[in-house]
Amino acid sequence: MKTEIDELIIFQEKCWTYKIPDHAEFKHLINQIIMVEENKNLHNMSHEATDQCNVYAWRSDWETHTTYPVMSNLTNLFVEILNKIAKQQKLKPTGFPDGGVWQCNNCWINKYQEGDHAIPHKHDQHGMSSVYFVQAPPEGGKFILYNPRGTFHPSDDPYSSPYVEIKVEEGTVLFFNGYLIHEATPHKGTEERITIANNYKLGFPVRKEK
């Protein structure tokens, strides 16, 4: 007796991208911040990070958005986009039927030179994460997201593939769930690769006094 096999997709993993309109100006200002931080380091005044983490490259302090206005402006833009995504996805935290609002936990700059990389890791203590590809030379490292279902066999089906390489486009910010394991493969070439990473938590809207 012949029977049909029906496929039922229960959950789908979603990511979102957004092209920064004023990218050229932001890129210039971010490179200026890096120069300032590296110059301050000569006088032990820098906000450059010294503790080792998952990023094996130069990076700024975890809360760089609290130091430089341009970083604060970018973070506000990213939060605005995430709030629109939350509304589209109909996210409604318990007790707040009008939906939650995203808040930035931390923000930092990564600068990858030849051989620099970020090992596979996740930010599951945060609700969402983002990466803004400020400077992305074509011969640079790859940004990879791993399948959260733990699939390890090769497959041409994107739902069953063990990982996905994101086609990086300079000037684009990628938003994804913080629990997704991701990495940046070793950087190649002489031109530096620069990214800005943010983590966010879903908070609650402020109730207006009547």
Side-chain angles (χ1 to χ4, degrees):
M1 179 178 179
K2 184 178 179 180
T3 59
E4 296 294 332
I5 300 175
D6 295 323
E7 181 179 67
L8 176 63
I9 299 177
I10 302 176
F11 299 111
Q12 286 182 307
E13 190 60 53
K14 297 180 180 180
C15 296
W16 299 266
T17 61
Y18 178 79
K19 187 76 172 180
I20 304 297
D22 302 322
H23 168 65
E25 179 64 17
F26 278 121
K27 179 179 179 179
H28 170 73
L29 293 173
I30 291 163
N31 274 288
Q32 291 297 311
I33 290 174
I34 293 174
M35 290 177 60
V36 169
E37 287 296 309
E38 291 178 332
N39 183 60
K40 284 183 177 179
N41 193 45
L42 298 175
H43 302 89
N44 296 319
M45 298 169 56
S46 178
H47 293 280
E48 176 183 348
T50 57
D51 55 316
Q52 184 57 59
C53 64
N54 299 307
V55 178
Y56 286 77
W58 182 93
R59 69 172 177 84
S60 65
D61 181 76
W62 293 123
E63 298 181 348
T64 304
H65 63 301
T66 64
T67 305
Y68 295 96
V70 62
M71 298 294 290
S72 177
N73 292 339
L74 271 173
T75 296
N76 291 337
L77 172 61
F78 298 161
V79 167
E80 179 182 338
I81 296 168
L82 274 177
N83 286 330
K84 291 181 179 179
I85 293 172
K87 186 175 181 180
Q88 291 174 356
Q89 299 301 306
K90 297 180 173 58
L91 297 179
K92 296 181 179 180
T94 303
F96 290 84
D98 294 332
V101 291
W102 289 105
Q103 302 168 352
C104 182
N105 283 359
N106 42 51
C107 167
W108 68 98
I109 303 172
N110 300 307
K111 183 182 73 172
Y112 296 89
Q113 296 179 313
E114 188 171 6
D116 289 345
H117 63 285
I119 62 176
H121 64 284
K122 58 183 177 178
H123 306 285
D124 52 353
Q125 71 271 34
H126 306 283
M128 290 290 288
S129 297
S130 71
V131 177
Y132 173 25
F133 299 97
V134 180
Q135 186 165 294
E139 72 277 9
K142 301 175 181 179
F143 187 82
I144 293 176
L145 288 170
Y146 285 87
N147 193 328
R149 297 186 301 168
T151 303
F152 298 104
H153 52 79
S155 173
D156 292 329
D157 179 1
Y159 290 108
S160 300
S161 176
Y163 62 86
V164 173
E165 176 190 339
I166 302 298
K167 301 299 182 182
V168 173
E169 182 179 355
E170 182 171 303
T172 297
V173 56
L174 172 71
F175 299 91
F176 55 95
N177 282 295
Y179 61 72
L180 287 177
I181 296 176
H182 54 284
E183 73 168 311
T185 62
H187 182 64
K188 302 177 182 178
T190 56
E191 185 180 3
E192 297 169 343
R193 172 176 169 155
I194 299 173
T195 63
I196 293 177
N198 290 66
N199 287 319
Y200 315 85
K201 63 180 179 180
L202 189 59
F204 304 118
V206 177
R207 293 191 182 277
K208 296 181 179 180
E209 295 293 336
K210 293 183 180 181

